[in-house]
Amino acid sequence: MADLTPLAISVLALLNERPMHAYEMYQLLVSRQNDRIVKVRPGSLYHTVERLAGQEYVRATGTERAGNRPERTTYEITPAGVEALRRRVESGIEKFVYEYPLFPVVLSEAHNLEAEDALLRFRRRVEDLDKWLADLDQSLGLARENGVHEPYWIGGAYIRHQIAAERDWLATTIERIESKDLPWQPRKNT
């Protein structure tokens, strides 16, 4: 079994709820704000559905047309797709895989900036992180208010803790640079 991409996992999970067409999947991912954890575009979603159909994890169940809209194919998950989803969720939870995010790379090269420039950019990032935290808090609060069971939004809670930890670390780093506890001497071209 080939590893399922994050978008493939999301597609299989949606189809595990009920059969639907690709555009409906896209709309549901966006309305649930899953587009914050999975990079999803209509084109990539259609491609993923086609790939899953080729792997026999999903199958077409019919097509429909509403007015002048294009014909839409409805898909359902197959037993092989249910098993692939289950196995991928199990392995993704229990096995740590480093994902090589961009921020540690640029952070490791921040010494190439003057201290004031680095501080300005760190502060801007903290502002962005604070906005994300406020949005997440609102979304998680709505989920609680609407009685959505916690296992359905536990991923959002995890991301909230990750972002808060990054924001707190950056705030401390800013304080350390400002107090000269973290001496900042940019590397000069020689």
Side-chain angles (χ1 to χ4, degrees), residues 107 110 118-126 170 174 177 184:
L107 189 60
L119 284 168
L120 171 72
R121 297 181 195 290
F122 289 156
R123 286 185 192 108
R124 286 180 181 166
R125 187 172 182 102
V126 167
L170 275 170
I174 289 168
I177 294 170
W184 198 270

Side-chain angles (χ1 to χ4, degrees), residues 115-149:
E116 286 307 312
D117 191 24
L119 284 168
L120 171 72
R121 297 181 195 290
F122 289 156
R123 286 185 192 108
R124 286 180 181 166
R125 187 172 182 102
V126 167
E127 289 173 11
D128 284 347
L129 293 172
D130 283 336
K131 289 176 189 171
W132 268 83
L133 287 170
D135 287 349
L136 279 167
D137 287 342
Q138 181 180 12
S139 296
L140 294 171
L142 284 172
R144 281 185 200 95
E145 287 173 24
N146 291 325
V148 177
H149 296 291

Side-chain angles (χ1 to χ4, degrees), residues 60-64 72-75:
T61 61
T63 57
E64 63 182 55
R72 293 186 174 160
T73 303
T74 300
Y75 292 89

Side-chain angles (χ1 to χ4, degrees), residues 17-36:
E17 292 178 27
R18 64 178 158 69
M20 59 184 84
H21 54 77
Y23 188 67
E24 183 180 8
M25 290 181 235
Y26 174 76
Q27 289 178 314
L28 201 49
L29 288 170
V30 171
S31 72
R32 291 178 177 177
Q33 297 186 352
N34 288 5
D35 57 331
R36 289 183 166 212

Side-chain angles (χ1 to χ4, degrees), residues 163-184:
I163 291 172
E166 180 179 324
R167 192 256 339 257
D168 294 347
W169 182 87
L170 275 170
T172 300
T173 301
I174 289 168
E175 290 171 9
R176 290 187 62 216
I177 294 170
E178 290 173 335
S179 71
K180 309 290 189 232
D181 178 49
L182 176 57
W184 198 270

Side-chain angles (χ1 to χ4, degrees), residues 90-101:
E90 289 172 348
S91 69
I93 289 172
E94 70 186 27
K95 184 178 179 187
F96 174 80
V97 176
Y98 189 73
E99 296 174 352
Y100 301 98

Side-chain angles (χ1 to χ4, degrees), residues 5-12 29 38-41 44-45 48 52:
T5 65
L7 185 53
I9 294 167
S10 295
V11 166
L12 290 175
L29 288 170
V38 176
K39 186 175 183 178
V40 58
R41 302 283 184 272
S44 60
L45 190 123
T48 297
L52 291 170

